[in-house]
Amino acid sequence: KNRMAQTRVALVTGANKGIGFEIVKKLRQSDPNLVVLLGARNPELGQAAVKSLGDDHVVFSHVDLDDEESIKKSGQVVKDTYGGLDILVNNAGFAYKGDAWSEEVARVTLGVNYFGTKRVSEVFLPLMRPGGRVVNVSSTAGLLSKITNDDLRNKFTDPDLTVEKLDALMNFFIECVKNDTYSQEGFPKSTYGLSKIGMSAYTRILQKDPAYKHLLINACCPGWCQTDMTGNRGHKTSAEGAETPAWLATLPADSDLTPGFYADKKAISW
């Protein structure tokens, strides 16, 4: 068990296919001794993905962003088996096809992409060892410029923004979609975009949290990739999309990278 406690361990969520699956492969290529937990909500698909790699350093982890119990159980397994975590890649995400728009669409999309990512972070961040790397896979669909109202935009960029205040903003958006007041409040007509704005704002809160000063925490956009989520319409392959998240996850211990929002391995303004 002590030997296992010295093992470096990574968790990638939403990793049974697409960009997440490619991130798993890149992490394994980066370090022959790294154990990578392939997180997926569907155990059958997750285990099939692990099997397809034929690599005993890749292990299935049941992480369903909608199911807090699954996240807590996986956290306990990581703690008991490895003693901690070194890399967390919050890649799991969800988008409705086309321009679906309703209160339910908003609730489900934010429930996974924002509240679900937050649930995973709240369980796994306390397990992370000094020098750990956290990568939140966001999207340029979630750039603040999509919010047209200055007052609303300023709430997201407020240096004193707390998780509680951000939760309230996310719930306010759902309420505005329900009441059809989202446009006059300055929200974009994109539940996916708004969920990713929330994810980027959450990343900024974590970056400033003294409890996590021993970690390097970044958000990134993988680009528009040919995945199931985009109906394979993107201009990048999943493997290309995995490059920036994998790079951020494997930065060397002495990295002087400024925490931020990255695309194509360059800092961009969110």
Side-chain angles (χ1 to χ4, degrees):
K1 186 165 176 179
N2 283 350
R3 187 181 65 79
M4 287 312 273
Q6 301 312 308
T7 306
R8 291 184 72 247
V9 187
L11 168 65
V12 184
T13 65
N16 57 288
K17 61 180 181 180
I19 295 165
F21 187 62
E22 296 298 332
I23 294 171
V24 168
K25 292 201 280 194
K26 287 190 190 313
L27 292 182
R28 281 294 298 125
Q29 287 158 7
S30 76
D31 178 353
N33 299 315
L34 180 70
V35 170
V36 182
L37 305 174
L38 184 153
R41 63 180 174 157
N42 180 320
E44 212 174 308
L45 295 175
Q47 279 153 351
V50 168
K51 202 173 169 187
S52 75
L53 290 171
D55 177 345
D56 63 3
H57 278 63
V58 179
V59 181
F60 171 66
S61 180
H62 184 219
V63 178
D64 179 345
L65 272 67
D66 268 334
D67 174 6
E68 197 161 2
E69 264 320 288
S70 78
I71 299 168
K72 284 180 174 164
K73 271 186 191 155
S74 289
Q76 198 57 51
V77 168
V78 168
K79 196 174 175 181
D80 294 345
T81 312
Y82 306 105
L85 190 67
D86 301 281
I87 295 169
L88 172 62
V89 183
N90 279 313
N91 166 74
F94 175 79
Y96 280 87
K97 295 280 183 265
D99 49 11
W101 183 257
S102 69
E103 182 196 353
E104 192 203 357
V105 168
R107 200 172 289 285
V108 171
T109 307
L110 270 63
V112 175
N113 297 349
Y114 172 72
F115 290 103
T117 298
K118 202 181 76 159
R119 267 183 221 117
V120 171
S121 302
E122 283 167 355
V123 167
F124 286 96
L125 286 176
L127 300 179
M128 294 202 64
R129 294 188 264 244
R133 304 286 183 248
V134 180
V135 184
N136 291 336
V137 181
S138 190
S139 168
T140 49
L143 292 177
L144 275 172
S145 54
K146 311 273 182 198
I147 293 178
T148 52
N149 175 310
D150 290 346
D151 288 343
L152 181 61
R153 196 181 316 118
N154 291 340
K155 285 179 182 167
F156 282 95
T157 57
D158 179 359
D160 298 321
L161 183 66
T162 60
V163 174
E164 292 72 29
K165 285 181 189 168
L166 183 54
D167 285 354
L169 282 168
M170 295 284 115
N171 286 319
F172 178 54
F173 170 69
I174 295 169
E175 200 60 24
C176 289
V177 174
K178 178 185 172 184
N179 299 330
D180 204 27
T181 54
Y182 67 91
S183 186
Q184 67 212 53
E185 294 291 350
F187 284 112
K189 192 175 181 178
S190 167
T191 56
Y192 181 77
L194 205 272
S195 73
K196 293 300 192 177
I197 287 174
M199 194 182 196
S200 298
Y202 179 59
T203 305
R204 282 168 69 99
I205 293 171
L206 296 178
Q207 285 167 342
K208 285 190 276 202
D209 189 331
Y212 303 127
K213 63 177 185 293
H214 59 298
L215 307 174
L216 184 55
I217 302 172
N218 287 288
C220 67
C221 177
W224 203 41
C225 297
Q226 295 151 9
T227 62
D228 285 356
M229 195 190 272
T230 63
N232 290 309
R233 290 195 308 270
H235 55 252
K236 278 185 173 184
T237 63
S238 294
E240 287 165 342
E243 279 172 18
T244 295
W247 166 69
L248 290 169
T250 55
L251 287 165
D254 59 356
S255 172
D256 56 1
L257 185 93
T258 307
F261 186 99
Y262 285 82
D264 293 321
K265 301 188 184 177
K266 291 182 192 70
I268 60 169
S269 167
W270 75 296

